[in-house]
Amino acid sequence: MDADIDERRSRRSRRTPRERGERDATGLPWRSTSLIAVAVVVGTGFAARNQFDREALDAAGRGLLLLGAVLLLFRHRRPVAVVFAVAAVTLGYLAAGYPYGPVFVLVAVACFAAVVHGHRTAAWWAVGLLWAGHLLLAHWLHRWLPPAGDGAAPWGQELPAAAVAVAVLAASEAVRGRREQGAQRRAERVAAERRRADAERLRIARELHDVLAHSISVINVQAGVGLALLDSDPEQARSALTTIKAASKEALGEVRQVLDTLRAPGDAPRTPAPGLAHLPELVEQAAAAGLAVTVSTSGTPDVLPPGADLAAFRILQEALTNVVRHSGSRTARIQIQHGSGRLDLTVDDDGPATGTEAGGSGNGLAGMRERAGALGGSIEAGARPSGGFRVRAVLPLRSEATP
């Protein structure tokens, strides 16, 4: 549906303002064609006053001029047929001995339309046949055609005529080239907008996955604890329900923050995005799910760019969520190493893997790799030689304003 709308908009944008304003409900360029017809008929009438050696412009001659103009009504629908038909009408007009003049404007407009619509070969053929026909009429067949007693035309007039024809075709090619470049730029803008929209949808999907996966994992574990202890230890069950309430409230807040960016794109978020400053809260949530987490930091902490700060938090969040879901270990270790222009994150657990269905989407590791890759970093995830599982992320700390 969106692609169809974009295509219709693209087609409308490729039409020139003149084309958009000159066509009525029939889709034919009545306005411009009427102006051309009037200009050709009136202009030929003035030109005929000084051409005493040609036939007088009578009703038949004006009819041929009007016929050529009427054919131009269909120059956008049938450009090839129109350019050949107009060339034939013009050649018939010249064969009848009528005065030279703006009649060649009809051919120029038809050729322009054919070239602009991508039929340059047809336009060149039509002009070439018209020029060849004119040579036959002016230099060999003139003695059998009106006006009576007409002599051969001078050869010197043929070169300027050919130059004008080539100039018309060259101008048509130039306009066509500009239109194609404009259409290409518009197509590139549409493609870029689609890529940005896809990237934004991916970002939002990743955010929602990370928020919901962690919070629902905590809720799932605590719900199991609450159900198991509901009769034997009501106080512990109440504590589990309290944790569920807190986790769900926090999840709703983060989901609302993500959805607010959809409702009002471009507006500043109402709450700051989470970062490593929120790591103690993440550790508390993991503890509420029964996972003891230790955090060690080395190196000199730098002020992290917002994108890297958010990515680091989400990677740690997803790694801890995977431990809660898939590991039999109830402990995890986070190591944060600040280096020169980079941040190393390591999350270890001692395993073993539970092998049970955790109810996840299976996109956690893929999401972490996408976050790290977006910053030019990398993710390594796999079993440790001594047992358990390790997730290691390396994030460059380039400024987000740096190209």
Side-chain angles (χ1 to χ4, degrees):
M1 183 67 178
D2 292 340
D4 293 339
I5 294 174
D6 291 338
E7 179 61 24
R8 287 196 295 269
R9 288 176 177 172
S10 179
R11 285 198 299 267
R12 286 197 299 269
S13 64
R14 286 196 293 268
R15 293 170 57 189
T16 65
R18 180 180 60 81
E19 289 173 337
R20 288 194 294 268
E22 72 184 8
R23 303 186 191 185
D24 61 5
T26 64
L28 299 176
W30 288 96
R31 184 181 304 172
S32 62
T33 303
S34 299
L35 293 175
I36 292 171
V38 172
V40 169
V41 173
V42 174
T44 303
F46 282 106
R49 295 180 178 180
N50 298 320
Q51 299 182 45
F52 303 105
D53 56 338
R54 305 294 292 175
E55 290 289 315
L57 186 62
D58 54 14
R62 291 186 175 88
L64 287 173
L65 295 176
L66 291 175
L67 176 60
V70 170
L71 289 172
L72 293 180
L73 285 172
F74 306 95
R75 64 185 182 272
H76 298 303
R77 294 185 178 180
R78 299 287 186 270
V80 174
V82 168
V83 72
F84 281 106
V86 170
V89 170
T90 304
L91 192 60
Y93 174 89
L94 297 176
Y98 291 116
Y100 294 104
V103 63
F104 296 107
V105 172
L106 302 176
V107 181
V109 173
C111 288
F112 181 87
V115 172
V116 166
H117 285 84
H119 303 286
R120 59 166 65 92
T121 302
W124 281 93
W125 270 104
V127 171
L129 292 174
L130 176 60
W131 190 59
H134 177 260
L135 288 179
L136 288 174
L137 296 175
H139 298 281
W140 289 285
L141 302 180
H142 59 87
R143 61 178 59 91
W144 296 289
L145 297 173
D150 188 22
W155 283 97
Q157 73 178 12
E158 303 303 335
L159 288 179
V164 171
V166 171
V168 169
L169 292 170
S172 303
E173 290 286 356
V175 172
R176 179 177 179 271
R178 285 197 297 271
R179 288 191 178 185
E180 288 182 346
Q181 292 174 0
Q184 182 178 359
R185 286 193 295 269
R186 286 188 290 270
E188 290 174 353
R189 285 197 296 269
V190 170
E193 291 172 359
R194 288 179 178 173
R195 287 194 296 270
R196 285 194 293 270
D198 291 341
E200 182 65 10
R201 283 193 290 268
L202 179 61
R203 184 192 69 80
I204 292 172
R206 190 186 301 124
E207 286 291 317
L208 290 175
H209 171 273
D210 292 348
V211 169
L212 296 177
H214 176 76
S215 299
I216 291 176
S217 294
V218 173
I219 290 171
N220 180 61
V221 170
Q222 292 300 315
V225 172
L227 287 173
L229 301 177
L230 184 61
D231 295 326
S232 60
D233 193 346
E235 288 300 322
Q236 188 66 26
R238 180 178 288 105
S239 176
L241 292 175
T242 301
T243 301
I244 290 174
K245 180 180 179 181
S248 61
K249 180 180 180 181
E250 181 175 352
L252 286 173
E254 292 198 50
V255 169
R256 187 178 296 111
Q257 178 184 353
V258 173
L259 295 181
D260 281 345
T261 64
L262 289 177
R263 298 191 182 98
D267 291 351
R270 299 179 183 178
T271 57
L276 290 183
H278 295 78
L279 185 56
E281 301 172 11
L282 186 60
V283 171
E284 290 179 5
Q285 292 176 1
L291 181 67
V293 180
T294 59
V295 180
S296 61
T297 303
S298 61
T300 303
D302 296 325
V303 177
L304 301 181
D309 200 16
L310 174 61
F313 178 85
R314 292 302 189 199
I315 289 171
L316 294 177
Q317 185 182 53
E318 180 62 30
L320 292 179
T321 300
N322 288 340
V323 175
V324 172
R325 283 178 166 176
H326 306 294
S327 176
S329 175
R330 293 298 86 195
T331 62
R333 295 177 298 280
I334 296 177
Q335 299 176 17
I336 302 175
Q337 182 178 358
H338 296 272
S340 177
R342 58 183 278 178
L343 178 68
D344 287 22
L345 306 172
T346 304
V347 179
D348 290 327
D349 72 88
D350 296 325
T354 61
T356 58
E357 176 60 42
S361 65
N363 294 323
L365 287 176
M368 286 192 285
R369 289 192 175 96
E370 289 171 356
R371 286 188 180 277
L375 298 172
S378 62
I379 290 284
E380 296 176 2
R384 300 166 58 217
S386 58
F389 198 82
R390 167 172 289 178
V391 174
R392 182 171 182 266
V394 178
L395 303 179
L397 300 182
R398 298 190 302 267
S399 170
E400 294 186 348
T402 301

